[in-house]
């Protein structure tokens, strides 16, 4: 199946319109930087970072832009409360946002334009809209006339007549239509001077409206028609409807080929939002859970569906991730290599070309362990409108195959087997797991080791000493004759070690290739 993406505008899945190798522009609405980021702010970045990773894997050259709104009513209010300036607050909260993105392995964003750096361009756009008859001035600002845009309401599927109901519209008696929105807001007397910019408009100094920021920066950085415009479902109306109206009235061209909207985080039945007061700070969250657990949770649901968030869900995800972490430890013990440091693996297509060159066809077992089937199914899942939950399911399948393979060959402890093709196949399979999981941005670093105190190196050394002693006791016990009274005594000692470690929260696992331990 070739890549299909759901378009909010047409309300159906459509074949992606470009060929691998071509450039793809992607714009996603970013944060208003007035408070530390909460987990709800990370849903879009994690999802669209994954979209970029997958498109890149398919061979597209993606440029990904996320804007920073650094002038806004909320910023003005919050800066006043904190007795600081809007630029100082914005700079601090932008740093917080960047730190959260980094923590969650969101690495694909190429540019973060800040609204205040583009005010001149926004004024030009507003002037052009006025010249074309889409905008008009009143004494407190410049407004967009929604009645001039015949398509207004198409994206959010609303009838302009009904839009007044339920929507938070700007109240102003001077507007021509209730749905008209501000392109430029004249400065109010009590507003700080640092949020006022010179303008050629009748109202004089002021600042741009939120919607025109995105129109201006998206077009400036990525051109008049974007390949993908993304954002949360809550931005569909009025923000995206207004962006679309402004942009298409300005250029006469489609603003975005695909509008993609991600579902929102839900706690119980409520949306997670500052206005609801149920937000979970990222910094607090990362004190309780690994960043991997959080990213995994966000990708475990289809991106267009609401994501159920709760401590219990996070616990469940953390538990299921343990299966991967245990395998990574096993792989390291078998191969001496860290899974997380494996080189960027080759792509399936390249490997198949390589086999073709070598005139060699993989045998069925090799196909299985190389993850050929998994590769195809993984791609099929993502090709079906980025079904990350389905793709994750295929990672579990591959994990099961690899564990089974290692079991079957005794963790490759036999030096002859280690030199043979079985071990090479196993390593290829692990590289496939690395490749596919990195497309989802998962398993980028080992989970922070929980320390028992005294430092990791000392704990590891002492644990290894204990395991070696226990192993010697077991071997002696196994070799002892049945009627030797020491046999039971020695087995009792090995059980005692396991039991006492369990009381400390350390679990031992006896496998054909040796014993491993983990905390928890
Ligand atoms: Zn926007």
């Amino acid at each position: 199946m070739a890549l299909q993406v759901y378009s909010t505008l047409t309300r159906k899945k459509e074949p992606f319109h470009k060929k691998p190798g071509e450039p793809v522009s992607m714009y996603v609405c970013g944060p208003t930087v007035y408070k530390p980021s909460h987990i709800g702010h990370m849903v879009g970045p994690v999802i669209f970072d994954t979209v970029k990773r997958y498109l890149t894997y398919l061979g597209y050259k993606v440029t990904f832009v996320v804007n920073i709104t650094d002038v806004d009513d909320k910023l003005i209010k919050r800066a006043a409360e904190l007795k600081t300036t809007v630029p100082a607050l914005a700079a601090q909260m932008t740093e917080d946002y960047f730190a959260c993105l980094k923590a969650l392995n969101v690495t694909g964003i190429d540019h973060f334009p800040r609204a205040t750096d583009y005010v001149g361009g926004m004024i030009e756009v507003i002037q052009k809209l006025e010249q074309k008859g889409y905008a008009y001035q009143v004494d407190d600002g410049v407004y967009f006339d929604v009645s001039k845009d015949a398509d207004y309401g198409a994206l959010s599927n609303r009838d302009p007549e009904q839009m007044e109901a339920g929507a938070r519209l700007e109240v102003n008696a001077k507007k021509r239509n209730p749905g008209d929105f501000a392109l430029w807001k004249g400065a109010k007397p009590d507003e700080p001077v640092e949020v006022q910019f010179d303008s050629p408009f009748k109202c004089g100094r002021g600042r741009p409206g939120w919607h025109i920021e995105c129109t201006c920066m998206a077009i400036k950085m990525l051109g008049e028609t974007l390949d993908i415009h993304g954002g949360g479902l809550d931005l569909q109306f009025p923000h995206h409807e207004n962006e679309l109206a402004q942009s298409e009235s300005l250029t006469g061209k489609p603003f975005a080929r695909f509008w993609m909207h991600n579902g929102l985080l839900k706690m119980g039945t409520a949306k997670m939002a500052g206005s609801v007061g149920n937000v979970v700070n990222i910094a607090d969250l990362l004190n309780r859970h690994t960043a991997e657990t959080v990213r995994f949770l966000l990708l475990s649901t289809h991106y267009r569906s609401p994501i159920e968030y709760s401590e219990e869900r996070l616990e469940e995800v953390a538990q299921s991730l343990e299966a991967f972490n245990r395998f990574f430890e096993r792989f390291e013990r078998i191969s001496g290599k860290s899974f997380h440091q494996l080189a960027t693996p080759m792509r399936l297509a390249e490997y198949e070309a390589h086999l073709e060159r070598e005139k060699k066809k993989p045998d069925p077992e090799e196909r299985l362990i190389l993850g050929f089937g998994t590769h195809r199914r993984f791609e099929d899942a993502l090709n079906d409108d980025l079904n990350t939950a389905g793709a994750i399911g295929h990672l579990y399948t591959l994990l099961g195959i690899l564990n089974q393979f290692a079991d079957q060959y005794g963790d490759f402890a036999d030096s002859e087997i280690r030199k043979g093709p079985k071990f090479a196949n196993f390593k290829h399979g692990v590289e496939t797991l690395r490749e596919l999981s990195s497309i989802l941005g998962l398993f980028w670093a080992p989970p922070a080791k929980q320390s028992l105190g005294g430092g990791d190196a000392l704990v590891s050394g002492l644990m290894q000493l204990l395991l070696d002693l226990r192993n010697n006791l077991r071997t002696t016990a196994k070799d002892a004759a049945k009627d030797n009274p020491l046999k039971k005594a020695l087995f009792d000692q090995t059980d005692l070690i396991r039991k006492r470690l369990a009381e400390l929260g350390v679990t031992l696992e006896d496998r054909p290739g040796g014993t491993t331990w983990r905390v928890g």
Side-chain angles (χ1 to χ4, degrees), residues 29 214 239 243:
C29 297
C214 283
H239 184 54
E243 272 188 41

Side-chain angles (χ1 to χ4, degrees), residues 265-472:
L265 220 51
K266 296 234 167 191
M267 286 179 98
T269 53
K271 166 193 160 187
M272 186 186 285
S275 52
V276 183
N278 59 352
V279 296
V280 178
N281 223 313
I282 307 270
D284 295 343
L285 181 59
L286 293 182
N287 281 334
R288 300 195 302 277
H289 296 281
T290 64
E292 191 115 72
T293 306
V294 178
R295 183 161 179 130
F296 208 88
L297 173 81
L298 300 184
L299 294 176
S300 300
T301 307
H302 188 272
Y303 78 90
R304 283 193 283 123
S305 306
I307 300 171
E308 185 203 325
Y309 176 93
S310 66
E311 261 317 291
E312 296 75 47
R313 265 298 280 142
L314 281 162
E315 291 290 343
E316 274 171 34
V317 168
Q319 290 238 325
S320 64
L321 274 174
E322 272 307 297
F324 285 99
N325 291 328
R326 280 202 298 278
F327 177 75
F328 300 153
E329 284 168 17
R330 185 181 196 184
F331 174 70
E332 188 160 352
R333 192 161 38 75
I334 291 172
S335 69
K337 285 183 187 158
S338 157
F339 176 84
H340 300 95
Q341 281 165 11
L342 287 179
T344 310
M346 61 180 96
R347 292 195 46 209
L348 174 66
E350 287 163 16
Y351 188 73
E352 283 180 329
H354 165 77
L355 289 177
E356 191 54 38
R357 279 197 300 277
E358 301 284 312
K359 289 285 174 225
K360 179 188 166 240
K361 288 274 171 249
D363 63 39
E365 183 181 82
E366 196 181 348
R367 282 195 84 82
L368 179 71
I369 197 65
L370 282 171
F372 272 70
T374 310
H375 244 294
R376 290 271 176 257
R377 285 190 288 273
F378 182 90
E379 286 186 15
D380 281 348
L382 291 181
N383 281 345
D384 183 13
D385 192 28
L386 285 308
N387 179 2
T388 51
I392 284 175
H394 298 309
L395 294 186
Y396 277 105
T397 307
L398 181 56
L399 179 73
I401 293 171
L402 291 169
N403 267 321
Q404 211 180 7
F405 206 64
D407 287 345
Q408 194 182 336
Y409 292 101
D411 276 2
F412 306 96
D414 183 306
S415 61
E416 283 309 306
I417 296 178
R418 264 185 105 79
K419 283 184 215 148
K422 303 296 176 197
F423 188 52
N425 287 348
F426 173 72
K427 284 196 294 187
H428 277 304
V430 177
E431 283 171 7
T432 300
L433 180 62
R434 172 105 175 115
E435 176 182 25
L436 300 183
S437 54
S438 68
I439 291 169
L440 301 176
L442 295 170
F443 311 131
W444 64 93
K449 289 221 161 131
Q450 288 172 280
S451 174
L452 290 174
D456 283 347
L458 180 60
V459 171
S460 302
L462 290 172
M463 280 303 300
Q464 200 50 53
L465 172 65
L466 205 49
L467 293 185
D468 288 346
L469 287 173
R470 179 171 169 274
N471 200 33
N472 289 344

